[in-house]
Structures are given as structure tokens and as C-alpha cells.
Amino acid sequence: STPLYSSAASDVYKRQVMRLSKLIHNIGVIIIAFCISQKTHAHLIVAQHGTLNVVEEHVFVVLSLPASSLLGVDENNDGTLSLTEFNKYRNHISKQVKKHVYLSDQQYRFSIEGLLLHPEMAHSGNNTFVDQITITGRFTPLMTNNIKFNINLFANNRSKQTYKITATNKQQQLIHQFELEPLSPHSELF
């Protein structure tokens, strides 16, 4: 009976060591992930890029706007948008986005619904200001053909005046990439 007891005890010991090893590994992974997340600041989407995804009767949008394209939100006139200013003027920013980012057809203008704003902090310097604002939401046009996407929010800085947009309709296997600029602020989706 001693060899059997010894074998069972050995198996229990091995399982405990394996559990402890997995626990230490998992804790290590969590610590590393936490440390990396404190150093990295990932944007939801590349600056001045956007996607429009047609799904049934909706058009879902993700778009990165330069904070400098917004008017009346730089309270201290320092040329940047602080996180405090962003939070204070969130409703004002939402109104500007709803007014200046929209779909249209020959007769109607379709505003963004369910708008969410996400401030993206600058990567350069001391990261104390909002460089981009990522917007998400959806449009519900009457039909999704012969629809134009319109943006009338452009920064003064020439390097931030071009939006690169990708429109997709997986159901119809359509994809269209286009650019919007101050002199050409709209394009048909497909």
C-alpha cells in the first residue's frame, strides 16, 4: 500500500505545482498587459480616416475628426482642446457633428443617430490635449443607393484637411474608398 499512497501523493503534488505555475503565469501576463496599457495609447481609428458600413437599412459610421476642426470649444484660446474642455463642451461638439457629418440624397439630409464621442489624446509632447475625436453612430437613410456622405468639419492645418473614407456593403459585395477635402466635402457611397 505504500507505493500506491506514494504515487497518489506524487500526483496531487504535481497537480498543485501545475496549478501554481499556471497561476503565476496568468498573474505575470496580467501585470505585463497592465504595464503595457499604461505606456500605450491606441487610437480607435487612424487620424482623419473613417468607415461606413451598410448593414440592411442602416449605415454605421466610425470617423476620426481633428479636434481643431471644432468651433467654440477652446475656452482658453490656447489652440488646443483639453480633456476638461472636451467634457465641458461635449453637447456642443455633438451638435456640430450632427450638423456637419451627415448622409444625403436628392431630397433629404440624414443625421447621425446614437452618436458616441471618444477623445483621443495626442501622442506627442505631454499628452495633455485631445488631438482627435472618434465618432461612432449610425444613419438610417430611406434607401442606401444614390446616397452621399458629407463632412463639413475641417481643421485649419492643411495636413489635417483630408479624410480617407472606406464604404462597404458586404451583402452586395461593394467597397468604395474616397477622400473628402474642403473643396470636395462629399462623395457618393458607391
Side-chain angles (χ1 to χ4, degrees), residues 44-56:
L44 296 176
I45 192 166
V46 176
Q48 289 95 244
H49 281 65
T51 60
L52 297 163
N53 295 307
V54 178
V55 181
E56 297 174 4

Side-chain angles (χ1 to χ4, degrees), residues 69-84:
S69 68
L70 301 165
L71 301 175
V73 294
D74 181 12
E75 189 173 67
N76 61 4
N77 294 315
D78 67 351
T80 63
L81 179 65
S82 70
L83 194 53
T84 301

Side-chain angles (χ1 to χ4, degrees), residues 117-133:
L117 304 172
H118 185 274
E120 305 283 359
M121 303 307 282
H123 287 300
S124 59
N126 55 11
N127 299 340
T128 60
F129 67 92
V130 177
D131 182 50
Q132 300 282 319
I133 298 172

